Amino acid sequence: MSLLSSSFCGLCVYPQERRRAFEANLEKTGLELETEDKSDSKDQKTYFLKIHAPRDVLATYADVLKIKVPFKKSDIPQSQDVALEWFTQPFRLPGNIMHPEPDYFTYHFDKTKTDFFLIGDKDTFFPPSTRNRICRYWKKGRNAEERYNLYKHWARFLCFYKEQPLNLIKKYYGEKIGIYFAWLGFYTEMLFLAAVVGLICFIYGVLSYDDNITSKEICDPKIGGSIMMCPLCDKNCTFWRLDSTCLSSWQSHLFDNEATVFFAMFMGIWVTLFLEFWKRRQARLEYEWDLVDFEEEQQELQTRPEFEIKCTNRRLNKITQVLFKLLNRCARYCLSGATVTFWISLILACITGVIAYRLAVYASFASIIGNHGGESGIHKNKTLLVGGLITPQLATSVTASCINFVIIMILNFFYEKVAIWITDMEIPKTHLEYENRLITKMFMFQFVNYYSSCFYVAFFKGKFVGYPGNYTYMFGKWKKFRNEECDPGGCLIELTTQLLIVMAGKQLWGNIQEALLPLMRNWWSSRKGRHNPENHYSRWEQDHVLQNFSQLGLFYEYLEMVIQFGFITLFVASFPLAPLLALFNNILEIRVDAWKFTTQFRRPVASKARNIGAWQEILNSVAILSVVTNAFIMAFTSDMIPRMVYLYAYSNSTSMKGYINSSLSEYRIPIRPQNMTEDNWFRHFNTTCRYRDYRHPPGHENEYTHTMQFWHILAAKMAFIIIMEHVVFVVKFFIAWMIPDVPSDVKARIKRERYLIQEHLHNYEVEKLKLQLSASFITEPQTSETSLTPDKHEVLSECL
């Protein structure tokens, strides 16, 4: 009986001579070939060649690849958390599905020492990931138990609350895919904690809704209704009353409150906990999956065929006197760097275009809504309802965010092609080098593409505006594009809007794309086949028409999750509900990916991996950067620091009463605006207006220069950044130092296993030597028993 190791299906694309030579070479290696008659195929034209690997071939390559197999049952007791067993029971899969195996100590397989290992059933001794069985996934068949169980208990969305059968995934698909789903599942579990804390912070903002004195003053007709604000653009914008921003100020309070500071610091610590606990989880998987001594260089550092073909220059090694291939990298790297710079510049140009759109369209929204609102804000036209609920800033921000998202998705399509083209042009020598370079380029492109608009709103918008009479203009004054001001409710609500649209839109589009594209392609490939009985449409034909899982398949899966990780860490201070959205998305993502693997893709060639590779360093970098970005968001984007400075340094009643008046400066308008009658000009406005800043009023000896309150607030912001960063970083490094990367029980098991390997190998060799000596002693002539016996005992004692 032979074990099916891999499959080769398809049309005869080689010339007959080359095909016969290819098949002959396969048979020379010990593989067995089985050709299916074309009359049995669906189109009755296609031959299918199945390749079987007998036990002897599997044993040979297990020896060559140093596959670790059991040699002794573990004698270390496993700790069981009986106290929480009742709580976790609903989330566990049945034992007959998980098939828990006894814990064994393992060692590299040696074909010459088969009796040293614990070999039970020789047909199932090697895990299924070393073989390749083609079978139907929606019906239980003879050789389909693993895939059937994965489809029924893992790939169905109704199993979203169940644990993942990681061991079964590893056995069927290999360690590299198994480690991805282990990381994705662990990331999702950790998101649950962040989502709960974020939801609590949001609920606090809702419950403290009525205690928001600042918003009450803005909405009060006697306070906010009596404050006339300066126009927010030069031509079409008119004066407006502060109470028109009542709704946006309430919305801003939901995310900009005292709990936001706590949540920003909590997320800085959560990131560290996630990364440190993942290292421990990863170390445990390395041991359980026999990857402790696995060197990825065995597979990943092999020279790529593209390098061998394209690299023709050779140089003599002076030490080894061997010619080695040399690649002229200077010109290729210069072209690569120039291409990367060009595409990043294109991203920034698109962002600049969106900013110009904001500036141009804002005036139109302000003119339309302002004209319908009238001078006093009281009008019977239905359009006033829209003007009362949606400010020009909010309308512009929402439309600009949607346009920016569309641009992001369009550019993202081209970036994938460009990054692959650049990496191919550089001709990396090894597979590992190729993947790391592609990861670096793609993440750099995606980082700028997805996050640049959020960085603009968080750190640039409203920061370089100037003041009435001395505004700052984009592209110079002659373009008349005045730099954007923040919404009167604050810049944080605009950052929240931008983050929500881009993050939610990306996740929604990604799930639709992942689910529909493979389904439609497979439906097009086999429109009628799956409705036929199996004897008319064979199992290998069914899987042959499925999509091929490319070498970069996991690369795109990791990239999607890492980009999401950036959203919920870099800008989470502006949107505490971001982890909750990510949690819902990942619960769906796990099942969508499982469904794709079991139903829409051919079974990929199993490969090993000890960890998530270069993505670990990217996650560490994003985690460090997130502490800085959230500190700056709380200091310069949120209004928390100005409110605290006013409360503890300038308030007479130790409350927030009077904060609005304190945060607005006054400006004397030199001439009457063109769109206002002279009567209204003198009767309603008294030639002055207010604007958001801390400057001396007109008539002061230092008019329109910053007040001392401005410098106090700036000092408080800088102090907050320094304190928050140092506190979070100290806690992060303390947690990282306190939590070991490898659990103590795993360390003990590794040491115990290495000790037993040496002891059992020594005993095995001794027993083998005893048998050899005994056999030779029996076969030798019994010439002199008295003379031979001491010699034999002496030899045996020396060997022992």
Side-chain angles (χ1 to χ4, degrees):
M1 178 180 177
S2 63
L3 299 177
L4 188 59
S5 173
S6 61
S7 65
F8 179 82
C9 305
L11 294 172
C12 180
V13 296
Y14 297 104
Q16 292 297 327
E17 296 78 8
R18 296 181 60 185
R19 183 179 183 88
R20 282 195 293 268
F22 175 71
E23 294 179 358
N25 290 331
L26 292 178
E27 292 178 333
K28 286 180 181 179
T29 61
L31 297 175
E32 298 176 356
L33 305 184
E34 179 185 358
T35 304
E36 294 291 333
D37 192 88
K38 66 177 182 180
S39 60
D40 295 331
S41 63
K42 177 174 176 286
D43 58 5
Q44 296 186 350
K45 297 179 181 179
T46 306
Y47 289 96
F48 284 86
L49 178 66
K50 295 189 292 185
I51 306 176
H52 300 268
R55 287 192 298 268
D56 187 64
V57 174
L58 291 176
T60 300
Y61 281 95
D63 190 358
V64 172
L65 298 176
K66 301 300 180 184
I67 295 177
K68 299 182 73 174
V69 294
F71 71 90
K72 183 182 186 298
K73 191 172 182 179
S74 175
D75 55 2
I76 301 178
Q78 295 184 355
S79 59
Q80 295 183 352
D81 194 0
V82 182
L84 295 178
E85 185 176 0
W86 63 272
F87 179 76
T88 59
Q89 188 63 33
F91 308 104
R92 297 186 180 277
L93 290 172
N96 61 337
I97 302 302
M98 297 296 291
H99 290 296
E101 298 180 352
D103 191 9
Y104 292 105
F105 292 122
T106 60
Y107 185 62
H108 300 299
F109 183 77
D110 189 342
K111 191 176 179 180
T112 62
K113 302 175 182 177
T114 55
D115 53 340
F116 174 75
F117 302 99
L118 298 178
I119 301 178
D121 187 356
K122 295 183 179 181
D123 292 338
T124 60
F125 180 63
F126 295 104
S129 58
T130 62
R131 301 164 308 199
N132 193 358
R133 287 196 290 254
I134 300 176
C135 54
R136 301 179 71 177
Y137 58 85
W138 62 89
K139 289 185 179 180
K140 195 169 184 179
R142 292 176 300 174
N143 296 322
E145 185 178 359
E146 293 90 354
R147 191 176 181 183
Y148 170 79
N149 288 333
L150 287 173
Y151 171 74
K152 184 178 180 181
H153 300 281
W154 178 52
R156 298 171 64 187
F157 180 74
L158 294 179
C159 301
F160 71 93
Y161 62 95
K162 293 288 188 179
E163 64 177 330
Q164 295 189 88
L166 293 178
N167 288 333
L168 189 57
I169 297 171
K170 183 263 298 185
K171 288 180 180 179
Y172 193 76
Y173 291 110
E175 287 80 0
K176 191 170 186 178
I177 293 178
I179 204 74
Y180 163 73
F181 281 103
W183 175 82
L184 180 56
F186 183 81
Y187 172 45
T188 305
E189 293 172 5
M190 290 295 294
L191 274 177
F192 180 79
L193 175 61
V196 170
V197 177
L199 182 61
I200 293 175
C201 292
F202 178 76
I203 293 175
Y204 171 83
V206 174
L207 296 179
S208 61
Y209 203 73
D210 295 333
D211 299 331
N212 184 11
I213 299 177
T214 302
S215 296
K216 288 183 177 180
E217 289 188 348
I218 292 177
C219 299
D220 190 348
K222 296 181 180 180
I223 302 177
S226 63
I227 298 177
M228 303 308 301
M229 303 295 293
C230 298
L232 295 176
C233 62
D234 289 342
K235 293 183 179 181
N236 298 325
C237 299
T238 183
F239 296 90
W240 51 282
R241 296 183 185 275
L242 184 61
D243 61 350
S244 64
T245 63
C246 175
L247 181 61
S248 63
S249 67
W250 286 113
Q251 294 170 343
S252 179
H253 173 74
L254 296 176
F255 306 103
D256 190 4
N257 52 66
E258 294 80 3
T260 308
V261 180
F262 163 77
F263 187 65
M265 300 182 70
F266 166 79
M267 286 302 296
I269 299 174
W270 174 88
V271 170
T272 304
L273 292 175
F274 163 64
L275 295 176
E276 293 301 319
F277 283 134
W278 165 245
K279 291 178 183 178
R280 292 171 60 85
R281 175 63 171 153
Q282 188 172 252
R284 190 175 296 278
L285 288 176
E286 285 183 17
Y287 173 76
E288 293 177 355
W289 292 356
D290 292 329
L291 298 171
V292 175
D293 299 324
F294 171 71
E295 295 295 336
E296 289 181 297
E297 287 79 3
Q298 297 175 5
Q299 295 181 358
E300 303 294 345
L301 293 185
Q302 297 176 2
T303 303
R304 299 173 63 239
E306 293 84 353
F307 182 85
E308 294 286 351
I309 295 173
K310 297 180 181 180
C311 184
T312 57
N313 299 329
R314 294 179 180 270
R315 178 180 293 179
L316 182 65
N317 190 314
K318 296 181 180 179
I319 299 176
T320 61
Q321 296 296 310
V322 176
L323 288 173
F324 65 94
K325 292 192 174 184
L326 181 66
L327 182 66
N328 185 9
R329 302 180 182 272
C330 182
R332 296 178 182 273
Y333 283 176
C334 290
L335 181 58
S336 174
T339 306
V340 171
T341 304
F342 168 77
W343 280 94
I344 291 180
S345 301
L346 181 61
I347 301 174
L348 299 179
C350 292
I351 296 299
T352 304
V354 174
I355 296 173
Y357 163 84
R358 289 173 178 264
L359 300 177
V361 173
Y362 171 76
S364 301
F365 278 113
S367 176
I368 295 172
I369 299 177
N371 290 339
H372 284 290
E375 294 177 7
S376 62
I378 301 175
H379 200 279
K380 296 181 180 179
N381 196 316
K382 292 183 179 179
T383 311
L384 174 61
L385 182 62
V386 179
L389 294 178
I390 302 178
T391 63
Q393 294 91 339
L394 182 59
T396 304
S397 178
V398 171
T399 56
S401 298
C402 294
I403 294 175
N404 183 68
F405 173 71
V406 174
I407 294 175
I408 286 174
M409 301 311 296
I410 294 175
L411 291 178
N412 185 51
F413 172 78
F414 292 102
Y415 293 154
E416 293 182 4
K417 310 296 182 183
V418 172
I420 294 176
W421 176 76
I422 294 174
T423 309
D424 290 339
M425 180 188 62
E426 294 176 355
I427 316 179
K429 184 176 181 180
T430 64
H431 294 284
L432 182 62
E433 186 179 358
Y434 179 89
E435 187 172 345
N436 289 341
R437 290 189 186 182
L438 184 60
I439 288 174
T440 303
K441 292 181 181 63
M442 278 296 295
F443 181 75
M444 183 164 44
F445 281 146
Q446 300 277 27
F447 186 93
V448 179
N449 192 25
Y450 280 106
Y451 304 145
S452 55
S453 58
C454 293
F455 272 103
Y456 164 73
V457 175
F459 305 124
F460 296 98
K461 183 178 180 180
K463 307 301 186 294
F464 309 100
V465 177
Y467 60 93
N470 189 27
Y471 284 117
T472 304
Y473 290 83
M474 185 180 181
F475 306 123
K477 289 187 177 181
W478 59 278
K479 282 292 185 182
K480 301 300 181 183
F481 281 164
R482 227 171 79 183
N483 282 355
E484 277 190 289
E485 296 186 40
C486 290
D487 188 280
C491 282
L492 194 71
I493 189 64
E494 296 192 38
L495 178 58
T496 303
T497 304
Q498 179 75 25
L499 180 63
L500 176 61
I501 292 177
V502 176
M503 178 181 173
K506 180 187 181 301
Q507 293 184 164
L508 180 61
W509 174 253
N511 285 323
I512 293 175
Q513 189 177 24
E514 286 188 30
L516 289 184
L517 284 183
L519 187 64
M520 294 178 64
R521 289 171 180 170
N522 289 328
W523 173 81
W524 184 258
S525 299
S526 58
R527 294 180 292 278
K528 299 180 180 179
R530 293 198 174 161
H531 300 289
N532 296 336
E534 187 173 348
N535 56 354
H536 292 156
Y537 191 47
S538 61
R539 294 173 305 196
W540 44 88
E541 287 184 281
Q542 296 168 34
D543 283 351
H544 176 60
V545 297
L546 296 179
Q547 296 296 305
N548 184 33
F549 190 76
S550 66
Q551 183 182 1
L552 300 176
L554 283 182
F555 165 80
Y556 293 109
E557 301 293 344
Y558 275 116
L559 181 63
E560 179 185 5
M561 290 295 102
V562 171
I563 293 297
Q564 181 204 83
F565 180 80
F567 277 124
I568 68 169
T569 54
L570 295 175
F571 310 102
V572 74
S574 66
F575 189 41
L577 295 180
L580 184 62
L581 292 181
L583 175 64
F584 290 149
N585 173 81
N586 287 11
I587 292 175
L588 179 63
E589 179 75 20
I590 291 176
R591 305 303 160 176
V592 170
D593 287 348
W595 173 78
K596 287 192 309 182
F597 272 92
T598 54
T599 67
Q600 303 302 311
F601 286 105
R602 300 175 192 169
R603 182 180 177 184
V605 178
S607 58
K608 290 192 174 185
R610 293 183 59 183
N611 46 49
I612 60 176
W615 299 109
Q616 183 75 36
E617 295 302 321
I618 291 178
L619 292 175
N620 292 333
S621 302
V622 172
I624 295 174
L625 181 60
S626 67
V627 178
V628 180
T629 56
N630 283 298
F632 273 85
I633 287 174
M634 294 307 305
F636 289 98
T637 309
S638 168
D639 282 343
M640 183 59 60
I641 302 301
R643 290 199 296 264
M644 293 297 100
V645 172
Y646 174 81
L647 179 64
Y648 294 108
Y650 291 91
S651 175
N652 296 326
S653 59
T654 63
S655 69
M656 293 303 297
K657 291 183 178 180
Y659 169 73
I660 291 300
N661 186 64
S662 173
S663 64
L664 297 176
S665 298
E666 187 176 354
Y667 176 71
R668 180 188 294 114
I669 305 174
I671 59 174
R672 174 173 57 86
Q674 297 179 358
N675 57 355
M676 185 170 293
T677 64
E678 186 174 355
D679 179 65
N680 286 334
W681 169 246
F682 288 103
R683 183 158 51 90
H684 291 288
F685 295 95
N686 197 24
T687 69
T688 61
C689 63
R690 309 293 293 274
Y691 61 98
R692 288 172 56 91
D693 208 341
Y694 297 91
R695 296 181 182 271
H696 290 291
H700 192 276
E701 60 180 354
N702 296 320
E703 65 176 3
Y704 303 137
T705 60
H706 286 119
T707 63
M708 187 57 65
Q709 186 176 358
F710 169 83
W711 298 110
H712 286 167
I713 292 174
L714 181 61
K717 289 180 177 180
M718 300 306 298
F720 173 81
I721 291 174
I722 294 174
I723 293 174
M724 178 178 172
E725 288 184 353
H726 281 71
V727 168
V728 175
F729 277 129
V730 167
V731 175
K732 281 170 64 69
F733 291 134
F734 176 74
I735 292 175
W737 170 78
M738 187 175 61
I739 301 176
D741 293 344
V742 182
S744 58
D745 62 319
V746 173
K747 288 182 179 179
R749 286 172 175 271
I750 294 175
K751 292 179 180 178
R752 174 69 174 166
E753 182 174 295
R754 289 174 177 172
Y755 167 77
L756 289 178
I757 288 173
Q758 296 179 356
E759 182 183 25
H760 278 63
L761 280 177
H762 173 74
N763 294 337
Y764 175 81
E765 295 295 340
V766 169
E767 293 297 330
K768 189 175 181 179
L769 182 59
K770 286 182 179 179
L771 293 175
Q772 292 176 353
L773 292 176
S774 299
S776 61
F777 176 76
I778 294 173
T779 56
E780 288 181 2
Q782 303 290 333
T783 56
S784 175
E785 183 177 353
T786 56
S787 62
L788 289 176
T789 302
D791 295 337
K792 289 294 184 180
H793 284 290
E794 182 179 355
V795 173
L796 182 59
S797 62
E798 291 178 357
C799 294
L800 295 177

